[in-house]
C-alpha cells in the first residue's frame, strides 16, 4: 500500500461522513424559476458516452458535448461543430471547426481535440471499425483544420461522424480523449450547450446541467441533432423516479415538467388532462426483435430459423408489449419502416404467424425435439413480454421450449456466452433498439454477420458482410438503397434476426412549457417557459 | 457494563469479517457481469474482456478479495464500478433520507402503537380492543404501495396539501423537509403500528395476570398507575425488541416506500447496485447493514437493563 493509498482511505471515510451530514442537514441547491425538471427513462450512472451504449448516457452526452456533424429531420448530414470540403477524387475530406467553439473551462476547441476524440470513438464503435479500415491518415493541419484521407471513397466517414445514437462521436478535450475506450473518463469538460454540475450529481437519483453561457449556437433552426442548439433555460434537472406512477403523479401536481417516456398503461391518466401535453417526440421510435444462436442446434439450421420466424406473430407481441395500436406498427424491415433503407421483403411470413409453414419447415429440417432455451428477463418492462409470446408461438409450431427466467443484467452477461445451451448457453433472447441507429447496415448491430466475431447470435453470412462493405463504398443513396434491399432479403431468408414490430413511446409535459423538439434523441435546447 | 459493551463491539469484528467474505464470494458466484452493464447491449466479447481488465475484474478472486480487505482496513470501500464515485460518498449521500424516514416512522409507531396496545389490553375483548385489532389486521394486510398511492391521490393530487414525492434536507427549511416525509412516514407506519400495537397488547395482558399487579390493585393503586408504571414497564422487553428489529429493517431497506415516494435512500441504492452488479457498492452497503444490526442489538440489550433491573451483564 502506498502512502497515497493510506491517505485516500481515511479521506474517503471523512468525505462519506460529510456527505451523510449534508444529506441530512444542509441545503440543496435552489431551483430557479427557469429550471426545467424532467424525469428520464432511467437513472444516469455511467457518464462516459463513448464507453457505453446506454441511451441515458448518450442523452447526457448531447447535453454537455457537441458533435462535428449532425443529422436533420430529412436524414441530411449537416455541419455542427465543423464544416467540410471533399477533394475531387472523393478521397480527402478537410474539416474546419467553426469560430467561437469553447470548452466549458474557457479554452478554445482545437483540431487536436477533435482528432483525439475520433480516435477514441474509433477504438470501440461498431460503425467506426469498418470506417477506420478505409481510412489512410488523419492529419492535423492547424488549430482549426484537420484532414481525413481515405484509401477508397466511402459515405461511411460522414455517416459515422454524424451518427446520432450510441455511440455518437462526441468531441472531448484531447487530455480526456486520450483515455483508452475501455476505461471510463473521469473529467467531464465539454463544449456542448450545457455544463455538467458534478457537485450535484447523484448517480441514479439526480443530474443537474446549467446553461453554458459561452455556447454559440448555429444560425440554422434546430432539427434533430443539427442546427442551432439555443438554450432558453438556466438549468435542467434530470430526476430519476423508479416508480412511473409517481412520475405521472408528480407531473399532474406540477412537481416535474416533463416525462421522457410515459408507460403505455399510464397514458389514460395524462392524455386528457388540460394542463398536460402528450405527444410523440421520437418520430422513428424503436424496433424489437429476437435473436437466435447460430452456433448450436437447432438454430444452426437455416430451415429451423425460418420456422421460428414464421411461427411468431408480430401483432401478438405488440399487443402484449404496447397494447394501444396508435403506438405500434408491424414491420418486416430489419432497417426499419420509416427509415430510408426500410424494405419489407418477407412481410407475408415475418409479420403474421404462419404455423403451417413453420411446421412444414420443421419437418423438412428434421427437427429432433432439441430443447430451445429462451432467456426471459423478468425485471425490464420493455423486454418482458417478447420471450413469453415467442415461447408460446414456438410451442404451437412444435418446438420443445424451455424458458429460462432471469433478471436483465444476468441476460446481458449471458448473451455473450457461446457455450451450448445444455452447458449454460442459450438459443433465443429478445431485445430492442432505437430506429435512429438501425437504419443502415453498420448502425444496425444484428446485421454484423462475421460469425463468432459478431454480436450475440453469431450469424455467419459472408454475403451480407460483403454487401456491407459495398454499402460503405456506394457513391449514391440510390445505390445504397439497392444494396440495403439485398441485405434485407438475405437476412430474412437466412434468419439473421426475427423482427417483432415497431413502437413509439410518447412523452408528456406541462403546457406551461413549449419548444420541445421532435427528434430521435431527446434534446433540451429550444425549450422555454411560456408563463 | 462498559466491559460488556467493549466485549460486544469486539465480538462483532469476526462477524463482520465473515459477512464480508460471504458477500464477496456470493457476488462473484452470482451470474452477471459489471463489464456488460458498462459496455451496453451490443458489446463484443473482446470489448468486454478489455473492460474487465481495466476494472481488474480479471484478477483471481482471492487477489480481488485481499485487495478489497487491504483497502477496507484503510477505511476505503472502493469506487462504484459504474460511476467511479467513492462508495463511502455514495452511501453518505443516501443515508439522510433513510434515517429521516426511519426516525419519523419509529416516532409515529411509538406515539401511536403503544397507547393503542395499552388501550386494547385494558379490556381484552372489549370494543376498543376489537377496534385496535381490526386496525392492526388492516395495517398488516394492505400493501405499502397501495397505501402510498391512496395517500398521494388524496393529499397530494386531490387536496394539494402535500407534495407527491422527493426529499429535501432540513437545511432547506424544516417545513420543506417535513412535508415530503409525512406521506411516506404515514404509509410505512401502518405495518409497524400494527405490529407494535399487537405486541404491546399481548405483553401487557400477560403482565396484568401477574401476582404483583393483583397486589397493586389490592393496595388500591389507581388503574392508570397500574397500567403505566407496573404493567407497561414490565412488558417493555418484547416491545423494545420489536422496535429494535423495526429500526434495523427500516434502515436496511424500505425499497417500496422509497420508490413510491421517490426518496433517494439506501434501500433504492441496494437494489440499483444489485441490478447493475456494482460489487463495491453492494459490499459496502452489506457491511453497513451488518454493523447496523449489531449496533441496534447492542442498544436493545442495554435497554433491557434499564427496563428490567434484574437483567445484568
Amino acid at each position: 500500500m502506498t502512502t497515497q493509498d493510506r491517505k485516500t482511505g481515511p479521506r474517503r471515510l471523512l468525505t462519506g461522513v460529510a456527505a451523510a451530514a449534508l444529506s441530512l442537514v444542509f441545503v440543496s441547491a435552489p431551483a430557479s424559476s427557469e429550471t426545467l425538471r424532467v424525469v428520464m427513462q432511467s437513472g444516469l450512472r455511467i457518464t462516459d458516452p463513448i464507453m457505453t451504449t446506454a441511451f441515458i448516457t448518450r442523452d447526457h452526452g448531447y447535453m454537455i458535448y457537441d458533435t462535428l456533424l449532425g443529422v436533420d429531420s430529412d436524414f441530411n448530414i449537416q455541419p455542427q461543430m465543423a464544416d467540410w470540403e471533399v477533394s475531387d477524387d472523393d478521397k480527402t475530406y478537410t474539416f474546419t471547426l467553426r469560430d467561437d467553439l469553447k470548452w466549458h473551462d474557457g479554452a478554445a476547441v482545437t483540431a487536436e481535440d477533435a482528432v483525439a476524440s475520433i480516435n477514441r470513438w474509433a477504438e470501440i464503435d461498431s460503425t467506426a471499425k469498418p470506417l477506420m479500415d478505409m481510412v489512410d491518415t488523419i492529419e492535423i493541419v492547424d488549430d482549426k483544420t484537420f484532414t481525413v484521407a481515405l484509401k477508397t471513397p466511402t459515405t461511411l466517414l460522414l455517416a459515422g461522424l454524424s451518427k446520432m445514437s450510441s455511440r455518437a462521436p462526441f468531441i472531448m478535450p484531447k487530455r480526456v480523449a486520450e483515455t483508452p475506450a475501455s476505461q471510463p473518463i473521469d473529467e467531464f469538460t465539454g463544449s456542448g450547450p450545457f455544463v455538467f454540475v458534478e457537485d450535484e450529481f447523484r448517480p441514479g437519483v439526480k443530474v443537474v446541467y446549467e446553461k453554458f453561457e459561452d455556447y454559440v449556437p448555429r444560425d440554422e433552426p434546430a432539427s434533430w441533432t443539427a442546427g442551432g442548439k439555443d438554450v432558453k433555460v438556466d438549468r435542467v434537472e434530470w430526476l430519476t423516479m423508479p416508480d412511473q406512477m409517481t412520475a405521472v403523479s408528480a407531473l399532474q401536481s406540477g412537481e416535474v415538467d416533463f416525462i421522457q417516456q410515459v408507460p403505455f398503461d399510464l397514458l389514460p391518466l395524462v392524455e386528457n388532462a388540460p394542463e398536460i401535453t402528450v405527444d410523440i417526440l421520437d418520430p422513428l421510435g424503436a424496433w424489437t426483435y429476437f435473436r437466435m444462436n447460430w452456433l448450436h442446434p437447432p438454430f444452426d439450421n437455416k430451415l429451423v430459423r425460418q420456422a421460428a420466424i414464421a411461427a411468431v406473430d408480430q401483432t401478438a407481441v405488440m399487443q402484449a408489449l404496447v397494447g394501444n395500436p396508435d403506438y405500434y406498427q408491424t414491420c418486416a424491415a430489419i432497417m426499419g419502416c420509416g427509415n430510408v433503407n426500410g424494405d419489407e421483403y418477407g412481410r407475408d411470413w415475418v409479420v403474421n404467424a404462419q404455423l403451417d409453414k413453420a411446421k412444414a419447415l420443421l419437418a423438412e429440417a428434421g427437427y429432433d425435439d432439441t430443447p430451445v432455451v429462451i432467456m426471459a428477463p423478468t425485471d425490464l418492462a420493455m423486454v418482458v413480454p417478447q420471450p413469453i409470446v415467442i415461447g408460446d408461438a414456438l410451442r404451437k409450431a412444435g418446438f420443445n421450449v424451455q424458458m429460462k427466467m432471469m433478471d436483465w443484467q444476468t441476460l446481458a452477461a449471458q448473451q455473450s456466452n457461446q457455450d451450448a445451451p445444455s452447458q449454460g448457453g442459450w438459443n433465443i433472447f429478445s431485445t430492442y433498439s432505437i430506429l435512429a441507429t438501425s437504419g443502415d447496415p453498420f448502425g444496425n448491430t444484428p446485421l454484423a454477420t462475421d460469425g463468432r466475431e459478431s454480436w450475440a447470435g453469431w450469424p455467419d453470412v459472408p454475403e451480407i458482410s460483403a454487401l456491407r462493405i459495398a454499402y460503405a463504398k456506394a457513391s449514391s443513396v440510390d445505390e445504397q438503397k439497392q444494396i440495403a434491399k439485398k441485405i434485407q432479403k438475405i437476412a430474412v431468408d437466412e434468419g439473421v434476426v426475427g423482427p417483432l414490430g415497431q413502437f413509439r413511446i410518447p412523452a408528456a409535459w406541462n403546457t406551461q412549457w413549449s419548444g420541445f423538439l421532435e427528434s430521435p434523441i431527446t434534446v433540451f435546447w429550444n425549450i422555454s417557459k411560456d408563463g | 457494563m462498559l466491559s460488556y459493551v467493549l466485549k460486544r463491539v469486539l465480538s462483532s469484528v469476526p462477524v463482520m469479517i465473515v459477512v464480508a467474505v460471504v458477500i464477496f464470494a456470493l457476488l462473484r458466484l452470482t451470474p452477471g457481469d459489471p463489464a456488460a452493464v458498462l459496455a451496453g447491449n451490443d458489446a463484443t466479447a473482446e470489448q468486454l474482456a478489455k473492460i474487465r481488465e481495466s476494472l481488474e475484474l480479471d484478477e483471481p478472486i482471492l487477489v480481488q478479495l485481499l485487495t478489497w480487505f487491504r483497502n477496507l482496513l484503510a477505511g476505503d470501500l472502493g469506487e462504484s464500478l459504474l460511476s467511479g464515485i467513492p462508495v463511502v460518498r455514495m452511501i453518505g449521500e443516501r443515508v439522510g433520507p433513510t434515517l429521516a424516514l426511519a426516525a419519523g416512522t419509529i416516532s409515529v409507531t411509538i406515539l401511536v402503537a403503544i397507547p393503542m396496545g395499552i388501550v386494547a389490553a385494558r379490556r381484552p375483548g372489549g370494543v376498543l380492543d376489537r377496534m385496535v385489532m381490526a386496525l392492526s389486521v388492516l395495517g398488516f394486510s394492505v400493501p405499502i404501495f397501495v397505501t402510498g398511492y391512496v395517500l398521494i391521490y388524496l393529499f397530494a393530487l386531490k387536496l394539494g396539501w402535500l407534495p407527491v414525492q422527493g426529499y429535501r434536507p432540513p437545511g432547506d427549511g424544516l417545513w420543506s423537509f417535513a412535508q415530503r416525509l409525512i406521506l411516506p412516514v404515514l404509509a410505512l407506519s401502518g405495518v409497524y403500528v400494527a405490529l407494535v400495537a399487537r405486541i404491546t397488547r399481548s405483553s401487557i395482558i400477560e403482565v396484568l395476570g401477574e401476582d404483583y399487579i393483583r397486589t397493586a390493585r389490592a393496595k388500591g393503586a389507581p388503574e392508570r398507575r397500574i397500567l403505566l408504571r407496573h404493567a407497561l414497564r414490565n412488558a417493555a422487553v418484547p416491545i423494545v425488541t420489536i422496535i429494535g428489529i423495526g429500526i434495523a429493517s427500516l434502515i436496511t431497506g424500505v425499497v417500496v416506500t422509497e420508490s413510491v415516494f421517490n426518496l433517494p435512500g439506501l434501500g433504492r441504492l441496494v437494489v440499483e447496485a444489485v441490478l447493475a452488479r456494482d460489487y463495491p457498492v453492494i459490499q459496502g452497503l452489506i457491511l453497513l447493514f451488518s454493523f447496523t444490526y449489531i449496533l441496534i442489538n447492542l442498544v436493545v440489550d442495554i435497554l433491557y437493563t434499564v427496563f428490567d433491573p434484574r437483567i445484568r451483564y
Side-chain angles (χ1 to χ4, degrees):
Chain A
M1 195 195 299
T2 63
T3 312
Q4 184 60 38
D5 288 338
R6 278 193 295 272
K7 280 181 184 168
T8 309
R11 196 180 296 149
R12 281 191 176 162
L13 208 57
L14 284 174
T15 312
V17 173
L22 277 170
S23 75
L24 198 60
V25 180
F26 291 113
V27 186
S28 61
S32 78
S33 58
E34 290 306 328
T35 296
L36 178 68
R37 299 155 303 173
V38 309
V39 180
M40 298 299 279
Q41 42 99 2
S42 68
L44 180 74
R45 294 177 183 86
I46 307 165
T47 42
D48 184 344
I50 300 300
M51 186 177 193
T52 187
T53 56
F55 294 155
I56 188 73
T57 310
R58 172 206 64 192
D59 294 352
H60 161 75
Y62 275 102
M63 297 295 279
I64 66 172
Y65 301 109
D66 214 344
T67 51
L68 292 174
L69 313 178
V71 176
D72 68 18
S73 58
D74 295 320
F75 292 95
N76 293 319
I77 296 168
Q78 302 286 358
Q80 185 48 254
M81 292 173 81
D83 209 336
W84 73 91
E85 285 177 2
V86 60
S87 63
D88 292 340
D89 62 358
D90 288 334
K91 286 171 72 172
T92 304
Y93 284 73
T94 304
F95 293 90
T96 307
L97 298 175
R98 66 184 166 100
D99 293 335
D100 303 321
L101 292 177
K102 277 186 188 170
W103 296 112
H104 297 158
D105 61 11
V109 179
T110 66
E112 273 195 329
D113 298 318
V115 171
S117 299
I118 292 170
N119 286 334
R120 183 168 193 258
W121 168 74
E123 266 185 61
I124 196 164
D125 183 70
S126 59
T127 306
K129 282 190 166 181
L131 164 65
M132 293 315 273
D133 289 341
M134 289 184 262
V135 169
D136 190 13
T137 57
I138 303 180
E139 284 179 359
I140 295 160
V141 178
D142 58 39
D143 272 358
K144 293 177 70 174
T145 317
F146 67 96
T147 59
V148 179
L150 300 168
K151 293 174 191 163
T152 177
T154 176
T155 54
L156 211 53
L157 176 62
L158 296 184
L161 293 182
S162 63
K163 188 174 175 184
M164 280 190 291
S165 193
S166 312
R167 302 175 172 92
F170 295 112
I171 303 304
M172 300 174 178
K174 184 177 176 231
R175 63 181 182 278
V176 179
E178 283 174 343
T179 310
S182 57
Q183 280 176 29
I185 55 171
D186 56 8
E187 187 199 323
F188 306 99
T189 306
S191 66
F194 291 95
V195 179
F196 178 48
V197 185
E198 266 189 86
D199 287 349
E200 294 190 50
F201 175 46
R202 303 282 179 270
V205 176
K206 186 179 181 183
V207 198
V208 176
Y209 305 95
E210 285 174 353
K211 179 181 180 178
F212 179 35
E213 297 293 348
D214 287 344
Y215 184 80
V216 180
R218 295 189 68 87
D219 295 330
E220 303 90 345
S223 176
W224 288 14
T225 56
K229 299 177 177 177
D230 190 6
V231 174
K232 297 175 179 173
V233 295
D234 300 320
R235 189 176 154 98
V236 177
E237 292 181 359
W238 286 7
L239 308 168
T240 307
M241 294 198 193
D243 187 326
Q244 291 301 308
M245 181 72 195
T246 307
V248 168
S249 299
L251 182 68
Q252 289 173 313
S253 71
E255 289 169 51
V256 299
D257 307 305
F258 174 85
I259 300 179
Q260 189 188 24
Q261 294 183 353
V262 183
F264 298 112
D265 55 337
L266 297 181
L267 276 172
L269 293 176
V270 287
E271 268 175 336
N272 298 316
E275 74 284 6
I276 294 170
T277 304
V278 179
D279 206 352
I280 301 282
L281 288 179
D282 176 1
L284 299 174
W287 71 301
T288 178
Y289 50 92
F290 71 100
R291 188 75 155 173
M292 291 167 274
N293 185 344
W294 284 45
L295 300 181
H296 302 287
F299 295 123
D300 56 348
N301 183 326
K302 173 179 165 178
L303 296 175
V304 182
R305 292 194 296 270
Q306 287 179 345
I309 292 174
V312 180
D313 187 77
Q314 281 198 2
T315 306
V317 174
M318 287 290 107
Q319 274 294 324
L321 182 67
V322 181
N324 185 341
D326 292 345
Y327 298 108
Y328 74 75
Q329 71 175 105
T330 57
C331 174
I334 294 170
M335 281 174 264
C337 293
N339 270 331
V340 177
N341 293 323
D343 178 77
E344 285 216 79
Y345 167 81
R347 184 175 172 90
D348 52 332
W349 61 282
V350 169
V351 168
N352 300 315
Q354 302 216 353
L355 284 180
D356 291 342
K357 180 183 171 87
K359 285 174 182 169
L361 284 164
L362 279 187
E364 189 185 344
Y367 173 64
D368 59 358
D369 213 37
T370 304
V372 172
V373 175
I374 301 179
M375 294 198 287
T378 53
D379 58 332
L380 193 63
M382 298 311 291
V383 284
V384 167
Q386 295 92 319
I388 298 167
V389 179
I390 293 168
D392 181 52
L394 295 194
R395 279 192 194 101
K396 284 177 184 161
F399 282 93
N400 174 9
V401 174
Q402 289 181 2
M403 302 295 283
K404 206 170 169 182
M405 313 307 275
M406 58 188 71
D407 69 321
W408 175 253
Q409 290 311 335
T410 301
L411 191 153
Q414 277 289 95
Q415 74 181 26
S416 61
N417 183 352
Q418 296 187 346
D419 291 343
S422 57
Q423 293 167 325
W426 55 272
N427 291 113
I428 284 181
F429 76 92
S430 177
T431 184
Y432 73 103
S433 300
I434 66 162
L435 283 160
T437 51
S438 304
D440 69 78
F442 290 96
N444 193 307
T445 310
L447 286 177
T449 53
D450 300 319
R452 286 179 184 267
E453 301 302 309
S454 311
W455 183 55
W458 311 285
D460 191 359
V461 191
E463 298 96 307
I464 293 181
S465 301
L467 283 168
R468 291 174 84 210
I469 301 298
Y471 182 94
K473 292 178 180 173
S475 55
S476 70
V477 173
D478 281 343
E479 192 184 344
Q480 285 181 332
K481 276 173 83 172
Q482 290 310 311
I483 295 168
K485 209 170 176 175
K486 288 179 189 166
I487 292 176
Q488 164 79 12
K489 182 177 186 310
I490 299 171
V492 167
D493 286 343
E494 290 289 333
V496 169
V497 60
L500 296 171
Q502 296 185 183
F503 57 94
R504 297 185 299 167
I505 308 174
W509 61 89
N510 191 303
T511 47
Q512 283 186 325
W513 293 85
S514 63
F516 291 92
L517 292 166
E518 191 182 76
S519 166
I521 313 294
T522 306
V523 295
F524 292 97
W525 42 89
N526 200 51
I527 299 164
S528 60
K529 198 171 191 177
D530 297 332
Chain B
M1 177 62 84
L2 193 66
S3 68
Y4 170 75
V5 172
L6 205 64
K7 217 184 291 174
R8 284 285 299 269
V9 170
L10 286 176
S11 71
S12 69
V13 174
V15 175
M16 301 278 285
I17 292 172
V18 170
V19 168
V21 173
V22 169
I23 285 301
F24 192 94
L26 269 179
L27 286 174
R28 273 24 181 217
L29 293 172
T30 309
D33 182 0
V37 179
L38 264 171
N41 199 18
D42 63 350
T44 62
E46 186 193 350
Q47 288 168 354
L48 290 176
K50 274 189 181 173
I51 293 172
R52 270 184 221 116
E53 191 187 334
S54 79
L55 296 175
E56 297 177 354
L57 292 169
D58 59 338
E59 298 278 353
I61 287 180
L62 200 61
V63 173
Q64 292 183 44
L65 177 66
L66 289 175
T67 308
W68 183 58
F69 262 121
R70 193 190 61 191
N71 293 337
L72 199 60
L73 288 175
D76 182 3
L77 290 175
E79 293 169 349
S80 160
L81 296 177
L82 272 66
S83 65
I85 292 175
V87 173
V88 171
R89 191 187 128 192
M90 286 180 80
I91 293 176
E93 286 168 353
R94 306 290 276 266
V95 156
T98 295
L99 286 183
L101 184 61
T105 305
I106 288 301
S107 303
V108 169
T109 301
I110 292 170
L111 289 175
V112 176
I114 293 179
M116 273 172 70
I118 295 170
V119 166
R122 206 172 162 193
R123 298 214 199 302
V127 177
L128 284 176
D129 183 31
R130 284 174 194 277
M131 277 173 63
V132 167
M133 287 301 99
L135 284 174
S136 292
V137 170
L138 201 68
F140 275 126
S141 316
V142 182
I144 289 172
F145 71 89
V146 173
T147 317
Y149 289 149
V150 170
L151 290 173
I152 287 173
Y153 179 75
L154 217 62
F155 294 102
L157 296 181
K158 278 286 151 195
L159 299 170
W161 291 351
L162 296 164
V164 170
Q165 52 82 41
Y167 172 78
R168 287 278 172 82
D172 279 9
L174 269 183
W175 174 235
S176 172
F177 164 73
Q179 69 175 166
R180 284 172 175 77
L181 279 176
I182 292 172
L183 294 184
V185 163
L186 285 180
L188 195 53
S189 298
V191 179
Y192 291 94
V193 166
L195 181 68
V196 174
R198 286 181 79 100
I199 295 288
T200 305
R201 174 188 175 272
S202 55
S203 296
I204 291 181
I205 288 173
E206 195 182 322
V207 169
L208 286 175
E210 296 288 335
D211 290 343
Y212 56 84
I213 297 289
R214 199 178 310 127
T215 308
R217 281 197 176 120
K219 282 167 68 182
E223 194 62 21
R224 175 187 295 248
R225 186 182 165 85
I226 289 170
L227 271 172
L228 297 182
R229 283 213 56 157
H230 298 280
L232 183 59
R233 188 163 179 183
N234 283 290
V237 168
I239 299 171
V240 168
T241 308
I242 284 294
I243 291 174
I245 293 169
I247 293 173
S249 66
L250 279 168
I251 290 174
T252 56
V254 281
V255 183
V256 175
T257 313
E258 288 182 358
S259 297
V260 168
F261 294 97
N262 191 30
L263 295 170
L266 294 176
R268 260 173 69 186
L269 184 60
V270 177
V271 174
E272 290 159 13
V274 168
L275 290 177
R277 307 292 189 270
D278 200 343
Y279 298 150
V281 178
I282 306 170
Q283 287 159 192
L285 282 165
I286 300 293
L287 272 187
L288 173 73
F289 293 164
S290 311
F291 183 70
T292 304
Y293 265 96
I294 289 168
L295 194 71
I296 286 173
N297 274 322
L298 179 60
V299 171
V300 167
D301 284 349
I302 292 168
L303 280 178
Y304 288 164
T305 65
V306 175
F307 291 110
D308 189 346
R310 290 170 300 180
I311 299 174
R312 284 279 173 269
Y313 299 114

